[in-house]
Amino acid sequence: MRSCFKNSFLFWALLFFATNILADTQLTLESDQVKVGNYVVSIHDLNFGVNTFGADFWIWADYSNPRLQPLKTMEFVNAKSISSSLLSSQLRESVTWSQQKIQGTFRHSWDMTNFPFDRHVLSIVMEESIDDISNLRYLMDTKNSGYLNDIIVDGFLITNMEIKNDQRNYNTNFGDPNAPPKTIYSRLIINLEIQRISKILFIKLHTALYSAFLVTAFCFPLLAQIPKIPQIVGSVLSAIVGSLFASIINLRTADSVIGGSESLTLVDRLHFITFLYFIILAIITITILINRERWNSKKISNVTRWAGKIYIVSYVAANLFLVWLAAF
């Protein structure tokens, strides 16, 4: 009895796996396979305001079924505009080799959170628009795909490229009476990773900001003289206001470099922290002014000395921490 049960279980298990293998084999046999590759020759017109980038590349397809025209039925899903040229097809023994050059503008949501240490993955999504995956399936030509080594992307370095296979599920048959109610189409995704050249840009964008902060840091020795010369408060507050104004102008300049961005960038965070420290210095100044008659000169000197140290050290630490988070 136990032996019969065991044999029955093995029979049904083998039947289950055999059915799935046959189904996959049948799908593979029925689907025409098209080997697709891509070679990028230019990345240009990075537009952070309208969320697009431009790309020029060669694309090719190898296939056996003469009825197919995969480069003509291929859709670039995230393209805003596309132009093609130099389309050619040649028979290589039993395989047709087709290629063409594509020039296009593609949509990309630029995440500027870590600007100017930002990294991006630019994607070009290709999908078959006529035959579903039961009739046509893309394969990756990873061996021959790549990008031109001397591509110059203004302000960026290309760090990696990958091409991966994917598929898109649709809850419709697009009105085809012979198709199932839900359809699947084969697609390929090209991901090009770029990283901004950030060191010099960071220095340019923050030189004015850090200079303004240093001006306020030099105010602490003056605060110790408030009991003797109360008029110094006016000079300190003027330095704070001037530094604040210079920092705001610097932030607007940085925004013009970044373009329209709804996210809070590293540049924004560093400026806002600096604004907060200016406010803290103003509060310290007013506090010392109010208590100048109750506190003796030694106490005021100690307060300003320690406040100045904390003011500078904490500001530097906060900046280093935020830059570290963005850069790494």
Side-chain angles (χ1 to χ4, degrees), residues 45-111:
D45 297 331
L46 309 183
N47 195 321
F48 309 112
V50 297
N51 288 321
T52 60
F53 70 94
D56 302 342
F57 54 90
W58 285 93
I59 189 167
W60 60 85
D62 297 334
Y63 51 97
S64 301
N65 193 333
R67 78 167 181 86
L68 298 178
Q69 293 182 309
L71 296 187
K72 290 186 177 180
T73 60
M74 178 182 290
E75 176 189 7
F76 293 91
V77 177
N78 64 325
K80 189 173 183 179
S81 63
I82 283 288
S83 64
S84 60
S85 60
L86 304 174
L87 176 64
S88 64
S89 293
Q90 300 180 39
L91 189 62
R92 296 285 195 264
E93 296 181 353
S94 61
V95 176
T96 301
W97 168 50
S98 296
Q99 66 168 344
Q100 66 178 344
K101 188 175 184 180
I102 300 293
Q103 295 175 301
T105 301
F106 300 88
R107 290 181 290 272
H108 175 77
S109 181
W110 296 96
D111 182 3

Side-chain angles (χ1 to χ4, degrees), residues 123-186:
S123 297
I124 300 173
V125 184
M126 301 166 289
E127 183 179 302
E128 168 61 22
S129 62
I130 302 299
D131 293 314
D132 64 19
I133 204 168
S134 64
N135 296 309
L136 188 150
R137 181 186 294 267
Y138 286 152
L139 300 178
M140 301 176 291
D141 187 0
T142 54
K143 179 180 178 181
N144 299 301
S145 298
Y147 60 91
L148 203 61
N149 290 332
D150 57 354
I151 290 180
I152 298 176
V153 185
D154 189 25
F156 287 88
L157 292 175
I158 298 176
T159 57
N160 188 37
M161 175 182 169
E162 67 170 353
I163 178 170
K164 64 178 184 178
N165 210 330
D166 198 8
Q167 61 185 34
R168 176 69 184 212
N169 300 309
Y170 292 97
N171 293 321
T172 178
N173 60 9
F174 300 97
D176 185 351
N178 295 326
K182 296 182 180 182
T183 51
I184 304 173
Y185 287 82
S186 186

Side-chain angles (χ1 to χ4, degrees), residues 223 226 233 236-237 240 280-289:
L223 295 179
I226 285 180
V233 171
V236 172
L237 293 178
I240 295 173
I280 291 173
L281 177 56
I283 294 173
I284 293 172
T285 303
I286 299 301
T287 302
I288 292 176
L289 177 64

Side-chain angles (χ1 to χ4, degrees), residues 11 17 89 122 155 169 173 197 205 208 210 229 247-248 314 320:
F11 171 77
F17 286 113
S89 293
L122 306 180
N169 300 309
N173 60 9
I197 305 171
L205 290 176
Y210 293 142
I229 314 173
S247 300
I248 292 173
S314 62
L320 290 176

Side-chain angles (χ1 to χ4, degrees), residues 292-326:
R292 71 183 188 279
E293 294 181 354
R294 291 194 303 160
W295 296 351
N296 57 43
S297 298
K298 184 177 180 180
K299 182 175 182 178
I300 292 177
S301 179
N302 290 332
V303 168
T304 55
R305 184 173 68 254
W306 283 104
K309 290 179 179 179
I310 295 172
Y311 184 81
I312 296 172
V313 171
S314 62
Y315 180 80
V316 172
N319 276 255
L320 290 176
F321 178 70
L322 290 176
V323 170
W324 179 81
L325 286 179

